[in-house]
């Protein structure tokens, strides 16, 4: 397991940026423009429902990508894009921690 407190901190990052640059991140603080794209939310059920939604810059016009995702468990529908995890609807939520439970990782790779 990765301890997020031992990982690097990135602050004020614009979305979208390629995630490869941030593979050592434990915490990321995004710019004020960052939003969840709830229309592209998805889920996978294997006993529990694993939920994902991409973090985007709605003003991006070119080469945007989807390298950062909000994730959660049992906080979305398994039948429709219905991500309601954590502070999903807060306009003030602009940061995230790395998901560090290795056994969960395959379920978030939808």
């Amino acid at each position: 397991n990765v301890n997020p407190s031992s990982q690097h901190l990135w602050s004020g990052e614009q979305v979208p940026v390629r995630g490869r640059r941030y593979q050592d991140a434990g915490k990321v603080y995004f710019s004020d423009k960052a939003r969840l794209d709830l229309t592209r939310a998805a889920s996978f059920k294997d006993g529990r429902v694993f939920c994902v939604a991409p973090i985007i810059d709605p003003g991006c016009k070119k080469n945007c990508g989807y390298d950062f995702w909000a994730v959660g468990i049992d906080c979305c529908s398994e039948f429709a894009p219905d991500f309601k995890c954590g502070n999903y609807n807060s306009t003030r939520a602009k940061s995230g921690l790395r998901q560090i439970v290795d056994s969960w990782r395959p379920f978030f790779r939808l």
Side-chain angles (χ1 to χ4, degrees):
N1 286 340
V2 177
N3 178 352
S5 64
S6 70
Q7 302 295 296
H8 288 95
L9 168 69
W10 295 91
S11 183
E13 295 301 320
Q14 297 289 330
V15 178
V17 289
R18 294 294 171 210
R20 181 169 289 183
R21 176 178 170 200
Y22 302 93
Q23 289 181 346
D24 62 347
K27 302 173 189 172
V28 176
Y29 292 90
F30 295 103
S31 73
D32 288 340
K33 295 179 183 178
R35 300 281 184 271
L36 292 179
D37 184 351
L38 299 176
T39 66
R40 291 190 177 1
S43 64
F44 172 78
K45 184 174 182 179
D46 185 4
R48 301 180 81 179
V49 181
F50 294 84
C51 314
V52 298
I55 302 169
I56 63 161
D57 175 351
C60 181
K61 304 292 185 219
K62 183 177 174 184
N63 299 322
C64 299
Y66 297 102
D67 285 357
F68 292 93
W69 294 76
V71 301
I73 298 175
D74 295 329
C75 49
C76 65
S77 168
E78 64 183 288
F79 303 109
D82 182 38
F83 188 89
K84 293 184 178 175
C85 304
N87 291 330
Y88 78 97
N89 61 349
S90 172
T91 58
R92 295 174 40 144
K94 299 298 176 195
S95 62
L97 297 173
R98 175 187 290 264
Q99 187 285 116
I100 60 171
V101 181
D102 288 334
S103 62
W104 292 351
R105 192 164 293 136
F107 299 112
F108 291 118
R109 291 183 182 171
L110 305 172

